Amino acid sequence: MTEMFKNLIAGEWASAGNASRNINPSNTNDVVGEYAQGSVEQMNDAIAAAKAAFPAWSRSGPQERYEILKKASDEILARKEELGRLLSREEGKTLAEGIGEAGRAGQIFAFFAGECLRLSGEAIPSVRPGVGVEITREPVGIIGMITPWNFPIAIPAWKIAPALAFGNCVVIKPADLVPGSAWALVDIIQRAGLPKGVLNLVMGRGSVVGQALLQHKDVHAISFTGSVSTGRKVAEACIASSPMKKVQLEMGGKNPLVVLDDADLKIAVEAAVTGAYFSTGQRCTASSRLIVQAGIHDRFVEACIERLKGVVVDDALKSGTHIGPVVDQSQLDQDLKYIQIAKDEGGKLAWGGEVLKRETPGFYLQPALFTETTNAMRISREEVFGPVANVIRAKDYEEALALANDTEFGLSAGICTTSLKHATHFKRNSEAGMVMVNLATAGVDYHVPFGGRKGSSYGPREQGAYAKEMYTTVKTAYTLA
Ligand code: NAD
């Protein structure tokens, strides 16, 4: 019998009238579970529960919060193989990637357990005689979280952990396509000793429970990760609500990887292939635009194709698989649509792009590499969000930098070069929030800020010590001595 997973409201698991089937993209006959599809009423109940829990939780001490977050971290890390397997089964990234992501969620909770103990303020003299000034940070209040399907445990973790560490209450709505990992995470955190109502989970459709979360007057802030088009709606709803909500948006990318003539070819090919195609290219930081200097262009393309020939696309849970399936039929349709658009616009499909058959029915796509593309083509300008990348030729470093920055996105950017001068110049002049030298654009640490510029991000950074900018509000207090 298929297991039924409920919403968590006020510390109790609550059934919903409807449920959705969570399907394994490596084998569409395999149902991971039935997950509750919450209603507007359930979302309102969850927000009311968070509101009721806030006065006590916001005044709880750092030791209590530390212990809960640390306990959650310990359980996530102890169960990372099992959680990673669930993640790979529902999302389609390989088992190694799934376990890596689950481990990362555990490390994030350990980091923010430490942050509970590190919150500090300032006491400074006033410009007025006899007056003292204190600057402190307080919790923001009720935080609504809306997350995408592609990092189903890490993104909920990097939002929930800092929110709780700094004394906020949370209502999270994970992606309806892949809710299982978020459910497992919330279950672990709740059992770590969190008071009822501090953390609430309402699964379901964005247009129903997501909208209800955005429109509720008792929600003080929204942290969103997802597409640009949804992000814009989220921001509009946050500004239109009364009072306005604090908002953080992490959205798409069209990340460039520049390869200069003086690059180490092996390093460049590894950065390009792992950055563009691993995790099935379904990463906001994927290196989807490969901007390659003319002198190394042909050798680079040839070496990428050789490397791609050895890449195994198969069931995410099978050992030996390098790239799992695309997440679902609609994403596969989008990938194929862009492959056709790139061909129609004059790009040359140098490798891949075929739908593959495997032992089990799933959404298998051979990684696609286009050459002879320009930065003006749609394949260079719009996020595909699949295992599709295109090579753009550049005559020199200056042109490569200009092409890298000629995009409405600004999440991550990379350069492969042995020139210290060009690496240094690129780090300073790239219009991206994260810059990589001789590394793939995807793959970041959990203890430092994450986020972008331009159309990729809006509001404070996520992760590391910078997360407090989102999850605390600053108070300035004056005292006449
Ligand atoms: P999406 O925008 O379709 O959905 C994201 C979330 O928003 C889901 O939970 C969805 O149910 C919800 N939602 C949809 N419509 C809504 C509405 N009207 N009101 C409220 N909520 C609504 O994105 P997706 O397809 O799940 O994820 C892929 C996108 O996420 C890509 O664009 C990718 O680049 C981006 N992403 C960005 C980052 C980052 O940190 N920058 C990380 C991962 C993914």
Side-chain angles (χ1 to χ4, degrees):
M1 217 179 82
T2 314
E3 205 174 338
M4 169 68 85
F5 295 88
K6 300 175 181 173
N7 289 325
L8 182 70
I9 299 170
E12 308 294 335
W13 293 105
S15 331
N18 295 318
S20 75
R21 293 189 134 197
N22 185 354
I23 305 287
N24 176 353
S26 298
N27 176 4
T28 53
N29 295 325
D30 175 31
V31 180
V32 179
E34 299 262 1
Y35 288 79
Q37 287 261 305
S39 59
V40 172
E41 292 69 35
Q42 276 199 324
M43 180 53 85
N44 291 343
D45 290 347
I47 295 166
K51 189 179 178 182
F54 183 69
W57 180 248
S58 60
R59 286 176 177 76
S60 60
Q63 185 64 26
E64 180 184 353
R65 294 184 210 157
Y66 166 83
E67 282 170 12
I68 293 169
L69 268 66
K70 178 69 173 54
K71 200 168 167 200
S73 165
D74 291 346
E75 183 172 339
I76 299 165
L77 291 172
R79 289 175 53 198
K80 69 177 182 181
E81 271 81 15
E82 172 209 338
L83 293 167
R85 180 169 286 276
L86 166 67
L87 196 166
S88 298
R89 189 173 159 216
E90 68 171 349
E91 199 271 352
K93 62 183 69 174
T94 64
L95 191 53
E97 290 169 332
I99 293 170
E101 188 181 329
R104 182 190 174 106
Q107 288 160 334
I108 288 168
F109 268 81
F111 178 87
F112 284 106
E115 285 293 274
C116 297
L117 306 173
R118 281 191 287 266
L119 195 59
S120 61
E122 292 172 68
I124 54 175
S126 163
V127 292
R128 288 173 282 165
V131 174
V133 184
E134 284 167 39
I135 304 168
T136 51
R137 287 182 181 269
E138 295 185 355
V140 174
I142 315 304
I143 316 283
M145 298 174 180
I146 299 179
T147 57
W149 50 262
N150 67 325
F151 282 93
I153 197 163
I155 294 180
W158 80 52
K159 293 184 192 298
I160 295 172
L164 298 181
F166 299 128
N168 301 280
C169 290
V170 173
V171 179
I172 181 164
K173 189 216 91 64
D176 36 346
L177 188 60
V178 179
S181 301
W183 188 96
L185 178 68
V186 166
D187 172 51
I188 290 172
I189 306 166
Q190 187 61 37
R191 286 187 294 94
L194 205 61
K196 291 181 175 191
V198 173
L199 172 62
N200 303 273
L201 169 77
V202 184
M203 298 175 285
R205 297 188 69 82
S207 55
V208 180
V209 286
Q211 275 299 314
L213 184 60
L214 294 177
Q215 280 159 5
H216 202 293
K217 65 173 179 30
D218 291 338
V219 175
H220 301 96
I222 296 284
S223 179
F224 166 85
T225 302
S227 62
V228 176
S229 61
T230 312
R232 193 173 290 282
K233 285 186 210 156
V234 169
E236 283 167 3
C238 288
I239 300 305
S241 75
S242 184
M244 291 182 200
K245 297 182 190 351
K246 186 173 185 178
V247 61
Q248 172 181 60
L249 309 173
E250 282 302 338
M251 301 169 286
K254 198 71 213 178
N255 309 291
L257 178 72
V258 169
V259 179
L260 296 185
D261 283 351
D262 64 13
D264 177 315
L265 186 63
K266 218 169 150 206
I267 288 176
V269 169
E270 210 46 34
V273 170
T274 59
Y277 303 113
F278 279 35
S279 298
T280 323
Q282 296 171 155
R283 293 190 282 194
C284 50
T285 48
S287 320
S288 49
R289 287 187 300 143
L290 307 172
I291 299 169
V292 184
Q293 201 176 348
I296 198 172
H297 179 280
D298 294 355
R299 279 183 295 138
F300 172 80
V301 170
E302 202 179 305
C304 278
I305 292 171
E306 274 314 303
R307 175 74 173 82
L308 283 169
K309 283 181 186 165
V311 163
V312 176
V313 180
D314 206 332
D315 189 322
L317 298 175
K318 253 193 192 173
S319 72
T321 295
H322 299 122
I323 297 180
V326 171
V327 74
D328 71 351
Q329 184 63 51
S330 112
Q331 182 62 51
L332 179 61
D333 291 345
Q334 169 156 318
D335 298 347
L336 294 172
K337 182 187 90 178
Y338 274 103
I339 288 170
Q340 191 56 48
I341 289 171
K343 284 181 188 165
D344 294 346
E345 286 185 323
K348 179 181 159 210
L349 184 57
W351 177 257
E354 296 295 320
V355 173
L356 302 171
K357 287 256 175 293
R358 292 293 178 257
E359 257 172 56
T360 47
F363 310 109
Y364 299 105
L365 179 62
Q366 198 179 25
L369 179 69
F370 279 93
T371 55
E372 311 308 325
T373 63
T374 70
N375 204 43
M377 292 177 179
R378 284 182 68 189
I379 193 72
S380 300
R381 307 216 72 84
E382 298 168 23
E383 186 183 49
V384 179
F385 217 55
V388 182
N390 59 299
V391 179
I392 303 165
R393 202 185 291 256
K395 67 175 185 301
D396 52 21
Y397 167 72
E398 286 69 27
E399 189 187 26
L401 174 66
L403 288 166
N405 285 336
D406 177 15
T407 169
E408 67 179 65
F409 296 105
L411 190 55
S412 183
I415 187 165
C416 292
T417 179
T418 49
S419 154
L420 181 61
K421 182 178 150 208
H422 286 141
T424 306
H425 189 270
F426 190 80
K427 278 192 276 185
R428 175 64 192 85
N429 291 282
S430 163
E431 294 168 7
M434 297 176 288
V435 181
M436 314 289 175
V437 177
N438 292 321
L439 289 165
T441 56
V444 294
D445 287 3
Y446 66 87
H447 67 309
V448 291
F450 177 96
R453 297 186 186 176
K454 302 201 274 189
S456 291
S457 301
Y458 184 86
R461 286 281 186 273
E462 300 209 82
Q463 301 195 58
Y466 283 65
K468 70 167 78 71
E469 299 304 330
M470 177 65 191
Y471 296 106
T472 64
T473 181
V474 170
K475 181 173 278 175
T476 312
Y478 296 83
T479 309
L480 178 63

